[in-house]
Every structure is written in structure tokens, then in C-alpha cells.
Amino acid sequence: MASDKTILVTGAAGFIGFHLCKRLVNDGYAVTGIDNMNTYYDAQLKQSRLDILLKLPGFRFQAIDLCDKKNIDRLFVENRFHYVVNLAAQAGVRYSLINPYAYLESNMHGFLNILEACRHATVKHLIYASSSSVYGANTKMPFSVHDNVDHPISLYAASKKSNELMAHTYSALYKLPTTGLRFFTVYGPYGRPDMALFIFTKAIIEGKPIDVYNNGKMKRDFTYIDDIIEGMVRLIPLIPAPDLSWSGKHPDPSSSFAPYRLYNIGNNKPVELMHFIDVLEQQLQRKAVKNFLPIQDGDVPETFADVDDLMRDAGFKPNTPIEEGIEKFVTWYKAYYNVK
């Protein structure tokens, strides 16, 4: 095992974490995964993901909560991680309207524990999940990492923006190289049950109506999981250096005088929600009963990722069409849930 290929993935039993761990093991990394296995959604789905990972040589798992500083610190003392990918977080815009305190605990307190541990362990590169939700009230399309994002419209978005600010502080104070990844509506096999594709698929199969917000006038930059993972694995070894052209007079939010970077990872092709539903109906060979509703608090009407920086630095652009991605999801869903 190459000495520089030891990596910690937090949220390893989550949707993105599961797929990332599989890929990293395949790529020759020694992967340690942690997860608190909470019950925000179906714990059995998380366990199914974990069961697959535990069969892989090169993968180890510990059940640890990010907020458990004592055990986080112990983990870093007992291991020499060259890279850390922080994916553990309380997810979901809509849930943040119901249970805001969960977001401060996991997304900020937990992230601080990771930052402190990485600082003291002199980790080579910390990569962490941000979100397209940080663009908030921005309407300039496509969303660019070079634009200001100071108007979040959900506490989830605010917590992710806070992660970017916290990471910059540690990059500036302690020269800890950090890269934040703004994910755009990730979907695919083993996806989250609280996401639209999962909810719609289950309801259509069961003959139940689906809630279509903003009367269907939503656009999302749906990004297939394999594209997210490809972007991530290319960025892990790309350790950011200070940007010598950065100026405090005209500060670019995406880089810094510190070893700090931000990237969008999105499909760069927004899809109308009604087209998304049409494709799903075709794959399921069933029509959806649609319940049209106004836009929900905290939601934005459109997302659209500018991925020029990702293409320039990682040489990669997500490109899986929605038709192909939904087909793969439906095939997985039917097999996993034994749908005839």
C-alpha cells in the first residue's frame, strides 16, 4: 500500500460516502470510514451500504459521531491519514425548517472537530461537502464559485456556507489545505430516500400521488453519482496552494492567499422537473398522479452549475444524461426492493 494513500471518509454509510469508499478502495487507497448510523432516514439502507463496504479489502469502519470529539481525536492519534473527506452532515433543506438544531450540531460542531483534528495531525488535504444550496437568493446563472453567496434561504444552506468560512479560517491560520465541493442534486443507486427521485419512484409504484412543488416550474442540475465520485477522486490529490494573484481589494470567493479552493460539481445542464417526471414515468411504465403545490420555504426555483474551474483543474465535466441516470436508478430500486 502506497504510504500516501491512507484516507478517512466521514459519513461512509451515506449515499455519496458509500460510493466514494467503493471507488477509493478500487483505486488502491486504504480507507477508514466512520458514520454515526443515525435514523434520519431508513437505517436499513445505510446498513445495506455498509455491509457491501465491509466485504471490501482495504476498508475499515468505526461507528463514531462527528460531535464525539474524544473519539474523533483518538481516531486521528491512532491513524496517520494523509487525506480526509468530510461527507458526514445533517442533510436536507426541508428538514432544517423542522429541526434546526440538528444542523448546528452535526454541520458546524462536528465539522469543527474535524478541522481541529486535521490541524493537529497535519493532514495533507481536507476535502469537504458543501452544497449548491449556498447560492440561496442568487439568480445569476449559471451559479459560479466566483460569485458572492451571502444570502442563504435555509439553515442547511447557512450551515454549509459556514463550513466554507470555517475551512478558510483554518487554511489561513494553520496552512491546512482545504477544498470545498458544492454538490448539485446528486442522484443514483443507493440514493437518499428523502430526495425527489426516491420519493417519486416509491409513490408512482404504489399508485400514490406525488407532490410537485412550484407547480412543476422547478429546474435542477441533477448530477449522477458516478460523475460526483469521478470529480472527487480527481480533486483529492490536487492539493490547493495559495493563489498568488488573489487580491483583498477584489476578493475572489473561490480561492485565497491561503491554500483554499471551492468547486461546483454539477451536470451543467438544468432539467425541468416535469421532464424529470416524464423520464421517470417512462422507465417505470406508469403515470404519476401529480399534486401541484406552491414552492416550499427554503427552496430555490432553479440550480445550474458553472463547472469551468472543475474542468480546468481536474480535467473533468459531469455528463451523464438524466435518461441514463434514471434508468440505472430504477433498475437498482426494483432489484433492491424486489419490485416486479
Side-chain angles (χ1 to χ4, degrees):
M1 179 64 63
S3 61
D4 64 345
K5 298 197 83 170
T6 58
I7 190 164
L8 171 67
V9 177
T10 75
F15 172 34
I16 299 174
F18 161 68
H19 285 277
L20 179 63
C21 288
K22 280 204 305 177
R23 172 66 184 270
L24 290 173
V25 168
N26 191 56
D27 285 358
Y29 284 85
V31 182
T32 297
I34 66 170
D35 202 295
N36 68 357
M37 303 298 287
N38 70 21
T39 55
Y40 166 64
Y41 61 74
D42 181 16
Q44 183 53 54
L45 182 59
K46 291 185 181 181
Q47 190 61 52
S48 295
R49 298 182 189 128
L50 183 57
D51 289 344
I52 292 170
L53 293 177
L54 290 171
K55 294 173 184 173
L56 302 177
F59 178 81
R60 298 181 306 131
F61 178 76
Q62 293 191 41
I64 301 176
D65 192 302
L66 283 197
C67 295
D68 183 353
K69 185 177 188 303
K70 180 179 177 181
N71 274 314
I72 291 291
D73 290 345
R74 173 189 57 77
L75 183 71
F76 277 77
V77 168
E78 293 176 355
N79 298 272
R80 176 72 180 91
F81 299 121
H82 290 89
Y83 304 106
V84 174
V85 182
N86 185 64
L87 298 172
Q90 178 57 61
V93 168
R94 290 165 189 166
Y95 186 63
S96 68
L97 307 179
I98 302 166
N99 189 3
Y101 290 94
Y103 291 77
L104 294 184
E105 276 297 299
S106 179
N107 298 10
M108 295 177 70
H109 180 189
F111 189 53
L112 179 60
N113 288 342
I114 290 293
L115 285 167
E116 277 288 289
C118 288
R119 166 168 84 98
H120 291 295
T122 58
V123 165
K124 287 171 63 175
H125 190 190
L126 167 63
I127 303 94
Y128 61 95
S130 184
S131 167
S132 62
S133 67
V134 300
Y135 289 102
N138 286 23
T139 55
K140 174 175 166 279
M141 297 289 172
F143 290 151
S144 170
V145 290
H146 303 286
D147 293 337
N148 178 289
V149 289
D150 281 341
H151 298 87
I153 58 172
S154 71
L155 191 65
Y156 171 67
S159 73
K160 289 300 188 178
K161 165 71 172 174
S162 298
N163 285 173
E164 296 178 359
L165 297 173
M166 293 163 73
H168 184 271
T169 303
Y170 274 68
S171 294
L173 286 175
Y174 308 115
K175 306 299 183 280
L176 172 66
T178 65
T179 297
L181 306 178
R182 294 175 177 171
F183 298 135
F184 281 69
T185 317
V186 191
Y187 74 101
Y190 286 95
R192 278 176 27 211
D194 63 326
M195 298 289 282
L197 180 56
F198 210 111
I199 293 169
F200 289 174
T201 300
K202 184 175 187 292
I204 293 170
I205 286 172
E206 294 175 357
K208 296 178 180 176
I210 61 172
D211 289 339
V212 182
Y213 291 101
N214 202 27
N215 295 304
K217 296 180 177 66
M218 305 278 270
K219 286 186 176 181
R220 286 290 181 269
D221 207 342
F222 294 101
T223 312
Y224 189 64
I225 183 63
D226 290 0
D227 288 334
I228 293 286
I229 300 306
E230 182 64 34
M232 292 179 75
V233 298
R234 290 184 183 222
L235 289 169
I236 287 167
L238 289 182
I239 300 171
D243 181 353
L244 300 180
S245 66
W246 192 89
S247 167
K249 290 183 178 179
H250 304 285
D252 181 343
S254 73
S255 65
S256 175
F257 61 88
Y260 170 89
R261 289 292 184 281
L262 292 172
Y263 293 96
N264 288 332
I265 306 187
N267 212 46
N268 190 232
K269 189 178 181 182
V271 172
E272 291 183 353
L273 184 57
M274 294 308 293
H275 176 63
F276 180 81
I277 294 169
D278 286 345
V279 173
L280 180 58
E281 288 174 329
Q282 290 167 27
Q283 286 300 323
L284 292 173
Q285 297 183 317
R286 308 184 195 199
K287 296 298 287 184
V289 180
K290 303 174 188 74
N291 180 28
F292 290 98
L293 295 167
I295 194 167
Q296 279 207 318
D297 289 342
D299 269 354
V300 297
E302 181 175 359
T303 63
F304 182 3
D306 179 329
V307 292
D308 287 353
D309 287 36
L310 180 69
M311 291 167 64
R312 180 195 67 214
D313 296 345
F316 174 71
K317 177 182 184 295
N319 58 10
T320 303
I322 199 79
E323 292 79 8
E324 180 183 331
I326 288 180
E327 180 182 8
K328 289 179 177 178
F329 173 81
V330 168
T331 299
W332 166 79
Y333 186 97
K334 288 181 174 179
Y336 184 81
Y337 290 103
N338 197 26
V339 176
K340 302 302 182 186

